[in-house]
Amino acid sequence: MKVLKFGGSSVANSENIQKVLTIVSAASKETKIAVVVSAFGKTTDNLLAGANNALKDIEIAKQQLETIKKLHFEVINELIHTNASEVSEKVNFLFKRLLSIYEGIFLLQELSDKTLAKVSSFGEKLSSFIIANAAKELFDATHQESNKLIITDSNYLNAQVDFGKTNQNITDFFNTNSHQVTILGGFISSNEKDEITTLGRGGSDYSAAIFAAALNADELQIWTDVSGMFTANPTIVKQAFAIKEISYEEAMELSHFGAKVLYPPTIQPALRKEIPIRIKNTFEPENSGTLISNNPPKNGAVKGISHIENISLITLEGGGMIGIPGFSKRLFETLSHQKINVIFITQASSEYSICVGIYENDAAKAKQFLDETFSIEIERKKIKPIHVENDLAIIAVVGESMKNHQGLSGQMFSALGKNNVNIRAIAQGSSEKNISAVINKKDAKKALNTLHEQFFEEKIKQLNLFVTGVGNVGERFLAQLHQQKNHLKEHLKLNIRVIGISNSKKMIFDKNGISLSTWKNELENGEQTSLQMFFEKVKEINFRNSVFIDNTANEQVAAMYASYLRESIGVVTCNKIACASSLENYKNLKSISRKYNAPFLFETNVGAGLPIIDTLKNLVNSGDKVHKIQAVLSGSLNFVFNNFDEKTTFQSVVMQAQKEGYTEPDPKIDLSGVDVARKILILARESGYSLELEDIQNQSFLPKESLETTDNQSFFDSLLKFENQFQEMYQKAAAKNCRLKYVAEFVDGKANVGLQEIPTNHPFYNLEGSDNIVLFFTDRYAKNPLLIKGAGAGADVTASGIFADVIRIGNN
């Protein structure tokens, strides 16, 4: 024999009920079937809402009752044909009784637990009666009231089952019942006085387990709207998948910590008789679902991750507790007397404090009564007043084989820590089947996804990018990412999504990832933005492995880096302003990055896509010491002086460099030498030297008038004005068979930048186009310097440098 239970979503309407009947019909051809059904859809909630409204306004209650009645008669009209009048008469009678109860509530102005139990029982009474009569038209079926079989105490809303009498009633009934299918309502029961009681919300699952245990069923099937128990809540973790097989203990742990597909007490009756439980999907009956049994295969240490939201943490602490027995007893007795359920417990080994997790709606009551219980100790300063923390959640990693795998706790807390998920309390049972942690509720989604990625998403790491600046570099970066997305996933096991994009006017966000083929159109229609608004939105989304990408040259954007890093959001930037700002700010950003475990990468600050900073870091980290750096670090200036001669004007070459994307939006930054000074400053700092930008000697070749212009047009006009001066510089170098290069030098703690005449035998002489070159003289490279050379300007190579930093984060 099998017991099949169908939840509210499975019997929400006539279409769904037809699916249920098809499933039951097929199953009944193999063996006798007991079918336990929930109320239609949200009927129980609506019935209870009507009862509460009856206290205030009977007319509103009547209207709600009519809506419920309409749904039930729609099902009757669509499914029942041969005895529709008889069924309609019985259903009308039940609704008349309901109306009488509502009117009684209104007249007496009283709504007791006993009345609430009676009201809520009508959902299952109605659904089981209607479905049984629909079934009779298709196969051999009968109907039985569950409250005639399940006997409980008089705790009307959460009754305790008398298994001796209940099991006898069930076996007696089914021994004399010859029908192939018996349909029963879940959730409802009765006490010794034949008064209606209920088994608590979720009690339909429990009813089914009670029947299965009493009948020694071959299998208990729980039919719902998902295909089994999942590795995590699939509405929160999109990558979650159904668990094929799981143990009773693992299922109990997951259901206790919020896996709503199964009501926790359901497992106990089945466990005692070792009856397999299968979770199946009414809407995908061919799916095998999840099998809960005594000895599932031991595949994987972690079976699932679950969580409970709206938790409060109650802390009892004080030096007066140490070595004094009885505090724990009084704490839990007080909570028990107030019917407050304790979900989570942890105690310091010093006995200085005890923390318990309870539901948030019980927190105020818990504090009130616990403060009263310990009032004398609080008054005498032996302990502190009860401390309550709200807006929390419990996250639990569950697996029966966890005890055989070392380091799981470390993996769990390391992964959470990397994503700035603060742990408020930790509990781990001695059986090691469950590691639980209390965290901020706002971090629950991020924590679930982080842990699921850690334990289940085999080597696939997801990065969530927030990109500011989509000009030349930003646009090329997004294009490269779009082109390489599948390659990264297949070969580097990186799933990189762009969640937010902004420019100076608009911003867009999509938690599922912005389409990199249509982002331009979406951004045009985006919402107005500001740097602070963008940051607040990134914080609100609160995704794991988040990275802020700065493709601007904006000082205000650079000033936001610390805010992102403090939220454990990585920063990747081609913007040199932050790293070339005050030494104090540079060191502060590095310190924050380390403290919050948030990567801060800026390879493109020097040499665009060339691996200059990364190479320098490796030298320093491996113990080498840098003594001297010589470099041509401005691709734009190299382009300008490589193309400037007696046949051109200096102005036209600079304008061409700007047009081709080799200069900053303000070309004066490049030509003034400020940009090069920033770059050599960054290299000096990364080499371990403490310099300020003011310490770098900048020998500018531009006339003072050009340096003092305030806009690009005035700047270009001034270049034309001083053309003779530029030609003179060129002719002087050419006469010596030299080429003009803007060189940065750092020697033993001192740095300078300026235009130099480079002779033919120098490594810089043949540097073509917009290429950069860097020579590192170190302890290891004392005679022959380490040389890095290549394209050092342009949107494509700069974007590729940004891309490389993102990949570094992904591979870390």
Side-chain angles (χ1 to χ4, degrees):
M1 185 171 192
K2 290 184 179 180
V3 176
L4 281 62
K5 181 266 175 180
F6 293 89
S9 58
S10 297
V11 294
N13 51 51
S14 57
E15 181 183 354
N16 291 2
I17 293 169
Q18 284 176 326
K19 296 180 188 296
V20 167
L21 295 176
T22 300
I23 292 167
V24 172
S25 177
S28 67
K29 292 174 182 175
E30 300 174 1
T31 183
K32 278 193 170 185
I33 300 294
V35 178
V36 178
V37 295
S38 295
F40 293 170
K42 298 290 183 182
T43 296
T44 303
D45 288 337
N46 294 333
L47 286 170
L48 293 173
N52 282 289
N53 283 326
L55 285 168
K56 308 167 190 174
D57 190 331
I58 188 61
E59 293 305 318
I60 292 177
K62 286 179 178 178
Q63 289 172 14
Q64 287 179 297
L65 200 57
E66 280 301 314
T67 301
I68 298 168
K69 184 177 179 181
K70 181 181 177 183
L71 168 64
H72 286 75
F73 273 94
E74 284 175 358
V75 174
I76 292 169
N77 292 334
E78 292 173 14
L79 294 184
I80 299 174
H81 307 290
T82 57
N83 60 339
S85 58
E86 178 186 334
V87 172
S88 297
E89 184 179 344
K90 175 68 180 291
V91 170
N92 266 319
F93 170 73
L94 291 173
F95 274 103
K96 284 178 182 178
R97 286 187 61 191
L98 260 172
L99 179 58
S100 297
I101 295 170
Y102 278 7
E103 288 173 338
I105 293 169
F106 177 70
L107 292 171
L108 295 173
Q109 285 297 288
E110 182 179 274
L111 183 54
S112 64
D113 286 355
K114 180 178 178 179
T115 304
L116 282 170
K118 186 178 285 291
V119 168
S120 60
S121 72
F122 277 84
E124 273 76 6
K125 282 179 176 289
L126 287 161
S127 65
S128 60
F129 176 71
I130 294 170
I131 292 170
N133 278 278
K136 289 175 184 178
E137 298 188 10
L138 302 172
F139 45 79
D140 178 26
T142 188
H143 174 245
Q144 173 66 341
E145 299 273 8
S146 293
N147 54 288
K148 293 180 180 178
L149 303 177
I150 300 177
I151 307 301
T152 69
D153 62 12
S154 293
N155 185 349
Y156 295 100
L157 297 180
N158 195 15
Q160 300 300 305
V161 177
D162 182 333
F163 281 99
K165 294 177 180 177
T166 296
N167 290 343
Q168 189 63 53
N169 287 346
I170 292 171
T171 53
D172 287 348
F173 170 77
F174 277 91
N175 284 339
T176 59
N177 174 31
S178 61
H179 294 281
Q180 192 70 6
V181 176
T182 303
I183 297 177
L184 310 108
F187 175 63
I188 50 178
S189 49
S190 63
N191 61 17
E192 290 285 358
K193 300 176 184 177
D194 204 27
E195 297 170 326
I196 290 292
T197 60
T198 62
L199 301 177
R201 299 311 298 268
S204 289
D205 285 356
Y206 190 30
S207 300
I210 292 168
F211 283 114
L215 296 169
N216 291 308
D218 299 318
E219 187 173 88
L220 167 60
Q221 296 180 0
I222 307 292
W223 290 79
T224 180
D225 54 4
V226 292
S227 299
M229 297 190 82
F230 277 63
T231 49
N233 186 334
T235 62
I236 297 175
V237 180
K238 301 302 180 185
Q239 293 79 23
F241 54 89
I243 305 166
K244 287 187 176 180
E245 294 189 49
I246 191 171
S247 72
Y248 294 113
E249 290 82 1
E250 289 168 332
M252 277 194 287
E253 292 282 2
L254 285 174
S255 59
H256 174 71
F257 282 97
K260 296 178 182 178
V261 72
L262 189 65
Y263 182 55
T266 302
I267 300 167
Q268 286 293 350
L271 172 60
R272 282 195 293 269
K273 293 289 187 75
E274 295 190 8
I275 296 169
I277 304 172
R278 191 177 293 277
I279 314 294
K280 299 263 295 175
N281 189 340
T282 304
F283 309 101
E284 295 179 15
E286 69 285 351
N287 194 304
S288 60
T290 297
L291 179 64
I292 304 170
S293 64
N294 209 26
N295 292 300
K298 306 293 184 186
N299 50 352
V302 176
K303 280 293 180 71
I305 304 160
S306 197
H307 81 299
I308 311 172
E309 291 188 349
N310 302 314
I311 295 297
S312 290
L313 199 61
I314 305 291
T315 303
L316 174 68
E317 63 179 333
M321 294 170 57
I322 300 174
I324 307 298
F327 277 93
S328 298
K329 176 177 180 291
R330 291 162 65 194
L331 170 69
F332 293 115
E333 271 187 351
T334 301
L335 295 175
S336 176
H337 289 156
Q338 299 305 317
K339 298 182 179 179
I340 295 172
N341 187 34
V342 175
I343 306 163
F344 176 99
I345 304 169
T346 185
Q347 181 173 10
S349 58
S350 64
E351 300 180 46
Y352 181 80
S353 68
I354 305 172
C355 293
V356 296
I358 63 174
Y359 287 110
E360 201 166 84
N361 54 12
D362 289 328
K365 183 168 69 169
K367 176 173 173 53
Q368 175 190 340
F369 285 97
L370 287 172
D371 278 339
E372 289 177 7
T373 297
F374 297 104
S375 58
I376 295 174
E377 288 87 350
I378 292 170
E379 185 179 345
R380 294 177 179 175
K381 309 292 185 185
K382 289 188 174 182
I383 65 171
K384 298 177 183 179
I386 299 299
H387 180 61
V388 179
E389 294 176 78
N390 295 318
D391 297 319
L392 302 174
I394 298 173
I395 190 161
V397 173
V398 173
E400 199 166 355
S401 299
M402 284 165 48
K403 59 188 175 184
N404 300 320
H405 289 75
Q406 294 180 341
L408 284 176
S409 297
Q411 291 181 50
M412 175 180 178
F413 297 119
S414 174
L416 294 175
K418 285 179 181 178
N419 283 279
N420 199 29
V421 177
N422 187 37
I423 308 295
R424 290 294 305 112
I426 299 168
Q428 181 173 5
S430 59
S431 65
E432 298 184 53
K433 294 173 185 171
N434 177 335
I435 307 171
S436 308
V438 179
I439 62 174
N440 290 326
K441 184 169 70 174
K442 68 180 179 64
D443 290 330
K445 181 176 181 179
K446 179 165 68 172
L448 282 168
N449 279 276
T450 296
L451 294 176
H452 197 272
E453 181 178 81
Q454 177 70 33
F455 293 116
F456 293 108
E457 296 169 35
E458 189 179 356
K459 296 182 182 178
I460 297 285
K461 183 173 185 178
Q462 182 173 288
L463 293 184
N464 297 295
L465 307 187
F466 299 86
V467 181
T468 290
V470 284
N472 287 339
V473 173
E475 183 176 350
R476 293 309 305 150
F477 168 69
L478 293 176
Q480 290 174 12
L481 181 57
H482 184 40
Q483 176 186 318
Q484 293 298 107
K485 187 173 178 66
N486 292 334
H487 173 87
L488 293 173
K489 198 165 186 178
E490 181 179 351
H491 296 282
L492 298 184
K493 304 302 180 184
L494 290 178
N495 179 24
I496 300 180
R497 307 186 307 168
V498 177
I499 306 300
I501 298 176
S502 78
N503 57 22
S504 59
K505 297 178 181 178
K506 300 282 188 179
M507 66 179 184
I508 53 172
F509 293 90
D510 187 334
K511 293 181 181 179
N512 295 316
I514 297 168
S515 168
L516 296 184
S517 57
T518 61
W519 67 265
K520 287 185 182 179
N521 291 335
E522 292 180 43
L523 188 59
E524 284 181 9
N525 299 309
E527 58 182 301
Q528 288 193 335
T529 188
S530 71
L531 296 177
Q532 189 62 35
M533 286 170 60
F534 192 79
F535 169 65
E536 294 298 335
K537 188 69 176 178
V538 175
K539 270 206 312 180
E540 178 191 325
I541 290 174
N542 197 24
F543 274 169
R544 72 196 189 284
N545 303 328
S546 290
V547 183
F548 173 67
I549 312 289
D550 177 15
N551 297 313
T552 75
N554 187 291
E555 186 172 356
Q556 292 176 314
V557 177
M560 297 293 295
Y561 294 171
S563 298
Y564 283 99
L565 294 171
R566 285 192 183 97
E567 297 295 327
S568 293
I569 297 167
V571 173
V572 171
T573 178
C574 60
N575 186 345
K576 291 173 280 292
I577 291 173
C579 289
S581 62
S582 70
L583 182 63
E584 180 184 3
N585 186 56
Y586 165 82
K587 287 185 174 180
N588 186 47
L589 289 174
K590 289 274 194 168
S591 174
I592 295 171
S593 170
R594 289 190 296 270
K595 180 178 179 180
Y596 292 94
N597 200 28
F600 175 40
L601 301 182
F602 42 89
E603 181 65 76
T604 47
N605 278 195
V606 181
L610 294 176
I612 295 172
I613 291 176
D614 193 52
T615 301
L616 178 56
K617 283 181 179 178
N618 290 335
L619 287 174
V620 173
N621 290 336
S622 66
D624 204 355
K625 183 173 178 60
V626 176
H627 300 290
K628 179 180 176 180
I629 303 171
Q630 285 185 315
V632 174
L633 295 173
S634 173
S636 54
L637 280 170
N638 200 41
F639 177 88
V640 167
F641 286 109
N642 279 339
N643 287 279
F644 175 53
D645 57 29
E646 71 278 1
K647 298 176 184 178
T648 62
T649 65
F650 193 72
Q651 181 210 51
S652 65
V653 176
V654 174
M655 292 180 74
Q656 182 185 355
Q658 185 192 45
K659 183 179 180 181
E660 294 190 21
Y662 292 132
T663 72
E664 300 284 353
D666 177 3
K668 186 170 62 177
I669 295 174
D670 295 282
L671 271 71
S672 67
V674 171
D675 188 58
V676 177
R678 286 172 174 164
K679 290 177 178 180
I680 194 66
L681 173 66
I682 292 168
L683 291 182
R685 286 176 172 176
E686 290 294 297
S687 299
Y689 295 88
S690 297
L691 271 74
E692 298 283 4
L693 188 59
E694 296 77 19
D695 298 329
I696 297 172
Q697 185 180 358
N698 185 351
Q699 302 161 343
S700 178
F701 65 89
L702 287 177
K704 183 178 179 182
E705 184 177 324
S706 298
L707 289 170
E708 292 176 349
T709 56
T710 56
D711 58 73
N712 283 358
Q713 188 57 54
S714 300
F715 178 68
F716 286 129
D717 291 343
S718 76
L719 295 184
L720 194 59
K721 179 179 178 180
F722 292 100
E723 177 64 23
N724 289 338
Q725 182 174 322
F726 299 129
Q727 285 291 341
E728 186 179 331
M729 289 189 305
Y730 171 76
Q731 295 295 343
K732 184 180 176 183
K736 299 176 184 177
N737 202 22
C738 292
R739 300 179 75 175
L740 292 172
K741 301 291 180 184
Y742 202 85
V743 178
E745 287 187 316
F746 171 77
V747 182
D748 293 330
K750 294 183 179 181
N752 66 82
V753 297
L755 199 62
Q756 294 185 16
E757 296 173 348
I758 304 297
T760 56
N761 61 347
H762 196 283
F764 294 172
Y765 184 85
N766 291 314
L767 195 64
E768 299 296 336
S770 62
D771 284 1
N772 280 189
I773 187 170
V774 179
L775 306 178
F776 288 117
F777 296 84
T778 72
D779 286 347
R780 296 172 190 159
Y781 297 91
K783 293 182 180 179
N784 296 310
L786 176 62
L787 184 151
I788 301 171
K789 178 182 176 182
D796 274 315
V797 291
T798 304
S800 70
I802 292 282
F803 204 159
D805 274 346
V806 170
I807 292 172
R808 284 187 186 95
I809 292 175
N811 288 335
N812 186 2

